Amino acid sequence: MGSKMSFDKPDPDNAFITLCREIDYQEGPLSGIPIAIKDNISTAGIQTTCGSKILKGYIPPYDAHVITLIRSAGGAIVGKTNMDEFGMGTTTESSAFGPTTNPVDPTRVPGGSSGGSAAAVASGLVRMALGTDTGGSIRCPASFCGIVGLKPTYGRVSRYGLIAYANSLEQIGPLARNVRDCALLYSCIAGYDPRDGTSLDLPAPTPLRSEIQGKRIGVPAEFFGEGVDPAVASVVQSGIQRLEELGAVIVPCSMPSMRYALAAYYVTSMSEASSNLGRYDGVRYGQAPDTVRSWHDAYSEIRRAGFGEEVRRRILLGSFALSAGYQGKYYAKAQAARQMVRDDFERLFESVDIIAGPTMPTVAFRLGETSDPLSMYLADILTVPANLAGVPALSVPCGTAHGMPVGLQLIGRHFAEDEILAAALAFEEGSA
Ligand code: GLN
């Protein structure tokens, strides 16, 4: 039996691009729970823009696999959330629909690129949301807004219907105010889907438990290196001490590949983006040219007008990294560095169960503070390693610095979502 609800709430943080006012839902584990969806996940009949002018007015004819699953679990999809254009950013300021603000302090950004999803959850507009994480885009806004966010193992959640930014790195995952809700939404979206060639057929997630006793937690020195705000570092250090008091064994360790992780991430993600974004011609939706000209001129004009500055920068840099003569110098090198990151995780996970550290090196920036792209890229240093290796990672609230939330990041072995969620629940309960 289907039920109906209406959703008509003010949105002071500009968390949503599109709101659905009348919502149908079914019976199920998510029955009637308001859920917000990042605007790069296809929703049949609901505009999906990726935060870009070039997709304005695009209404997908089909649902992403995760949407089919949420609908059949009874979730009430209330709208599509704001994001950095095509997921390219750490602040949600690069959206063509204006920035989202942080519900904790509206003079600051919510993080990105899933900033709208995080703000909608943190402000209480919805109970849970879906984001996507290519290099930190679920964990960063979770950390900045003081909520929980999980990036699943690569292959655990189907990407069918996700509009691609960098296919080899990204996963869809849940954001929620607590570990229980985060695990609930995760359990509804994880699973095999033959329509995603990288999807894996594994047993369903086990029921959430609280468990930390005897777990070996590796703390890489590099996670507290240069660029990490000392106030953030000290909040996370006391969080790690709390894990120890709860029965975990803390193991200081080292991840030398961290030196190359950020460069490997940006070369890989921009290369994949330049190829993925080649498909946008603005002919059927988005910006259409007023005058008919040669195909070449029209195409250039549409793309120049339809994409924002950051997206254009990445298409250019990515095309350069892939061009003949430079591929070996950049793309191939990035893949070698990516392998070093994978090897480091594999080696560490022989002697530890979980790796812990800060999610972000700082608290939420002020609006406009990261106008220099390089300084914005540097903020991703602690989140990109998990994407490069495909391992699961989450951010759980750990305390505050400068009056703003700080997230503790827990990284697990491939397919050990259950284990990091169990540790996060123990931490959350222990901190309460
Ligand atoms: N900030 C990173 C980037 O700009 C990560 C984005 C993401 O995970 N989508 O690429």
Side-chain angles (χ1 to χ4, degrees), residues 101-120:
T101 51
N102 190 317
V104 182
D105 173 355
T107 68
R108 296 181 189 257
V109 303
S113 62
S114 315
S117 286

Side-chain angles (χ1 to χ4, degrees), residues 36-370:
I37 307 291
K38 189 175 181 180
D39 210 25
N40 58 351
I41 299 173
S42 303
T43 40
I46 308 170
Q47 177 183 243
T48 299
T49 68
C50 287
S52 182
K53 269 199 280 194
I54 209 151
L55 277 173
K56 200 168 172 191
Y58 167 56
I59 297 177
Y62 68 101
D63 274 333
H65 187 63
V66 291
I67 300 298
T68 307
L69 293 175
I70 287 177
R71 288 196 204 277
S72 61
I77 292 171
V78 302
K80 305 296 296 289
T81 56
N82 204 1
M83 56 182 284
D84 281 298
E85 189 176 1
F86 284 99
M88 298 176 187
T90 310
T91 67
T92 313
E93 291 170 295
S94 75
S95 168
F97 300 85
T100 296
T101 51
N102 190 317
V104 182
D105 173 355
T107 68
R108 296 181 189 257
V109 303
S113 62
S114 315
S117 286
V121 170
S123 66
L125 278 180
V126 294
R127 210 173 111 186
M128 27 183 103
L130 284 187
T132 61
D133 191 311
T134 310
S137 283
I138 290 175
R139 290 162 287 157
C140 159
S143 173
F144 282 6
C145 294
I147 62 171
V148 184
L150 167 71
K151 180 201 86 76
T153 308
Y154 188 75
R156 190 62 172 125
V157 174
S158 168
R159 288 179 295 109
Y160 176 79
L162 165 64
I163 301 178
Y165 157 21
N167 320 49
S168 80
L169 297 157
E170 58 208 3
Q171 274 289 289
I172 298 172
L175 293 128
R177 275 194 295 284
N178 55 52
V179 175
R180 272 184 208 288
D181 277 354
C182 185
L184 172 60
L185 185 54
Y186 165 68
S187 70
C188 294
I189 60 169
Y192 179 61
D193 174 19
R195 296 174 297 182
D196 172 356
T198 59
S199 172
L200 287 149
D201 198 358
L202 293 162
T206 55
L208 179 65
R209 58 187 196 281
S210 165
E211 187 180 328
I212 192 76
Q213 187 66 40
K215 290 285 174 198
R216 293 177 61 82
I217 301 200
V219 181
E222 292 80 359
F223 273 61
F224 293 89
E226 200 192 328
V228 180
D229 177 346
V232 169
S234 105
V235 168
V236 174
Q237 289 290 10
S238 29
I240 290 171
Q241 210 174 322
R242 246 167 25 238
L243 290 172
E244 191 171 26
E245 287 156 18
L246 292 166
V249 181
I250 305 303
V251 184
C253 61
S254 171
M255 253 195 88
S257 64
M258 286 284 289
R259 279 183 61 193
Y260 310 113
L262 201 64
Y265 168 77
Y266 272 98
V267 171
T268 305
S269 63
M270 290 182 190
S271 300
E272 292 184 23
S274 74
S275 156
N276 277 321
L277 270 53
R279 63 172 69 100
Y280 300 102
D281 56 17
V283 170
R284 286 196 290 174
Y285 25 74
Q287 302 269 305
D290 335 323
T291 47
V292 181
R293 251 166 288 159
S294 76
W295 175 85
H296 188 270
D297 287 350
Y299 191 69
S300 308
E301 192 182 308
I302 289 165
R303 286 170 62 86
R304 196 178 306 116
F307 289 132
E309 189 188 349
E310 183 61 27
V311 172
R312 292 200 306 271
R313 175 182 297 120
R314 294 192 190 198
I315 292 173
L316 288 172
L317 287 170
S319 309
F320 175 73
L322 288 177
S323 57
Y326 289 103
Q327 225 199 60
K329 202 166 166 193
Y330 297 109
Y331 188 77
K333 271 228 172 91
Q335 300 325 300
R338 184 172 186 175
Q339 190 56 48
M340 291 166 80
V341 175
R342 287 201 191 106
D343 292 346
D344 262 359
F345 275 116
E346 207 163 298
R347 176 181 54 79
L348 287 175
F349 282 131
E350 281 169 13
S351 54
V352 303
D353 302 302
I354 292 172
I355 293 168
T359 304
M360 296 299 291
T362 64
V363 297
F365 323 118
R366 295 201 182 275
L367 288 157
E369 192 180 324
T370 50

